[in-house]
Amino acid sequence: MSAHSTSPRTTSAHTVRPAGPRTRTVGPGDLLRLGVFGLRTRPGRVVLSALGIAIGIAAMIAVVGISSSSKAALDRVLDALGTNVLTVTKAQGFGEVAPLPTTAVESVLRQPDVQAAAGVGEAEDGRVYRSPFVPAAETKGVGVMTTWGDIPAVLGGSLAAGHWVDPSPDAPAQAVLGAAAAENLGIDRLRPDTAVWIGGQRVQVVGILAPMQLAEDLDNQVFVPRGFAASLGFDGHPTAVYTRVDPERVAAARDVLANAVRPDRPQEVGVTRPSDAFAAKNATDDSFTGLLVGIGGVALLVGGIGVANTMVITVLERRAEVGVRRALGARRRNIRDQFLVESLLLSFLGGVAGVVIGLAVTITFAVGQGWPVAIPLWAVGGGLAATVVIGGVSGLYPAARAARIPPTSALAAV
């Protein structure tokens, strides 16, 4: 064999070696496919891990949704009771204070933020009895009042039987009994001949009120037309004006009502703050907000721990796979990115499943309770996004651990 045939090929005194395989850059699409492949190779573990994440997110969505639906139902009840009801009376304090003007109800109704108003006035000489044979001293605390407008409508009340008293001043003598007044007078139902004795004359009962939750002091009263009340000592001045205002303008309406009723001496007019239900509503809002934030944080933390635990176990099980890939030229960052993508996919799948389960539980429970379904969008979108973020953060350590595995020690376990 000639020396020429056995010598290496040279060009200009430089040795030319055969070209090796070109290293291919791993792009986002490749990482996604690797991540999906890694999850598909262990479907049982993936399902169980995703289920653990889903349970945590479903718990958060369900608790937030059920609590929000319950709050919406409570708000609806409170709104019906009158979170936007203000009561106008004469100011309470030292010294002589003039009664409200006879035009107080009309003045209140002229205000732009007022939706409805009705007034009551006390007939000081009114005494109510079941029959003329009842001793005069046995009044059982039942009083007589007259009205301007529809009191039950303004206060969110209702009639248990019959109809409301005719509010016109010249209406014929008739009576509507408050719930407690009817009980004290021994009247449990309304018949065509049901009557009471007021001011020494027989007066037909045309209605019985259900309990007034916003104005319990009216329950033991009997309501009569203003013309008839005048014969019972009514002086023409209302003692209270109940006002339903725009719910968004409660504070503004409260500030102007005193001037509207008595422009010359507004300090002699007292306007109540929003009802106790309004304060309860505000306290409920604050309590629910803190509760939901706390529960959501705990659920997300549990989900993140589940992702981290799953990915650590996955790394331990796949040491041989990591060693083979490293031996074939995969870089550390490729290994790290693959496991991180798997962690993100696992979190996303579990988060989606959890949102669906949580929505189903919330809707089923709310409908079963007769509540409005109220699921905040922030809970759905924020819960899913936070799950992916926390899952990614939880997968950082397992991904970094996988990237640090030396190929020799990984292949030794094969």
Side-chain angles (χ1 to χ4, degrees):
M1 183 178 291
S2 64
H4 176 74
S5 61
T6 58
S7 61
R9 276 172 39 183
T10 60
T11 302
S12 303
H14 291 284
T15 301
V16 179
R17 293 183 174 86
R22 298 177 61 185
T23 302
R24 183 175 180 270
T25 303
V26 180
D30 298 318
L31 287 174
L32 182 60
R33 284 190 291 272
L34 284 172
V36 173
F37 177 77
L39 296 181
R40 289 178 59 187
T41 56
R42 293 167 176 78
R45 181 174 294 280
V46 168
V47 170
L48 291 176
S49 301
L51 182 61
I53 298 171
I55 290 174
I57 301 307
M60 186 196 75
I61 298 294
V63 171
V64 171
I66 291 173
S67 300
S68 298
S69 299
S70 174
K71 177 179 175 295
L74 176 62
D75 288 346
R76 185 169 62 181
V77 172
L78 293 178
D79 288 338
L81 288 178
T83 60
N84 59 330
V85 171
L86 302 176
T87 304
V88 179
T89 60
K90 68 178 183 178
Q92 303 297 320
F94 298 102
E96 189 70 23
V97 178
L100 296 178
T102 58
T103 58
V105 177
E106 291 79 1
S107 298
V108 167
L109 285 170
R110 285 195 293 267
Q111 305 311 305
D113 295 329
V114 173
Q115 297 176 339
V120 295
E122 184 177 357
E124 296 183 358
D125 298 334
R127 298 291 183 272
V128 184
Y129 303 97
R130 184 66 180 88
S131 74
F133 307 106
V134 176
E138 295 184 8
T139 63
K140 297 187 177 180
V142 179
V144 177
M145 282 189 161
T146 189
T147 69
W148 288 258
D150 192 340
I151 293 293
V154 174
L155 291 178
S158 62
L159 284 155
H163 60 83
W164 183 240
V165 64
D166 188 342
S168 59
D170 55 351
Q174 56 188 269
V176 171
L177 310 182
E183 182 179 355
N184 289 331
L185 293 170
I187 300 175
D188 57 355
R189 66 185 64 183
L190 191 63
R191 301 183 180 87
D193 60 344
T194 301
V196 293
W197 286 80
I198 305 176
Q201 70 179 81
R202 184 178 184 275
V203 179
Q204 183 178 3
V205 177
V206 297
I208 300 175
L209 285 172
M212 303 286 286
Q213 298 185 28
L214 270 184
E216 296 180 352
D217 56 314
L218 300 182
D219 285 343
N220 204 31
Q221 301 292 325
V222 174
F223 302 92
V224 299
R226 271 177 281 163
F228 179 51
S231 65
L232 303 173
F234 173 57
D235 60 2
H237 295 275
T239 55
V241 179
Y242 301 102
T243 309
R244 188 173 291 273
V245 301
D246 183 346
E248 305 297 328
R249 302 277 299 169
V250 175
R254 185 178 67 240
D255 293 339
V256 302
L257 285 180
N259 283 304
V261 171
R262 191 181 288 280
D264 55 337
R265 286 175 290 175
Q267 70 277 7
E268 294 188 3
V269 178
V271 181
T272 63
R273 293 182 178 274
S275 63
D276 292 339
F278 188 48
K281 180 178 179 180
N282 289 337
T284 300
D285 289 345
D286 295 339
S287 299
F288 272 113
T289 299
L291 173 66
L292 300 185
V293 170
I295 292 176
V298 171
L300 291 178
L301 179 61
V302 171
I305 293 174
V307 171
N309 182 60
T310 299
M311 295 310 300
V312 168
I313 295 174
T314 301
V315 169
L316 295 176
E317 289 182 345
R318 295 165 64 184
R319 289 174 61 89
E321 175 191 334
V322 172
V324 170
R325 290 198 59 207
R326 290 293 309 279
L328 292 176
R331 299 177 180 179
R332 286 187 175 185
R333 69 166 181 243
N334 300 141
I335 302 297
R336 181 196 63 210
D337 292 346
Q338 176 188 349
F339 279 86
L340 186 58
V341 167
E342 289 186 21
S343 176
L344 291 172
L345 287 174
L346 186 59
S347 301
F348 179 76
L349 293 175
V352 170
V355 168
V356 173
I357 296 172
L359 292 176
V361 171
T362 299
I363 293 173
T364 302
F365 189 86
V367 171
Q369 294 293 323
W371 295 345
V373 178
I375 304 174
L377 292 179
W378 66 263
V380 178
L384 183 58
T387 302
V388 174
V389 171
I390 293 177
V393 173
S394 302
L396 284 176
Y397 170 73
R401 179 174 179 176
R404 290 196 302 266
I405 296 177
T408 53
S409 62
L411 290 173
V414 177

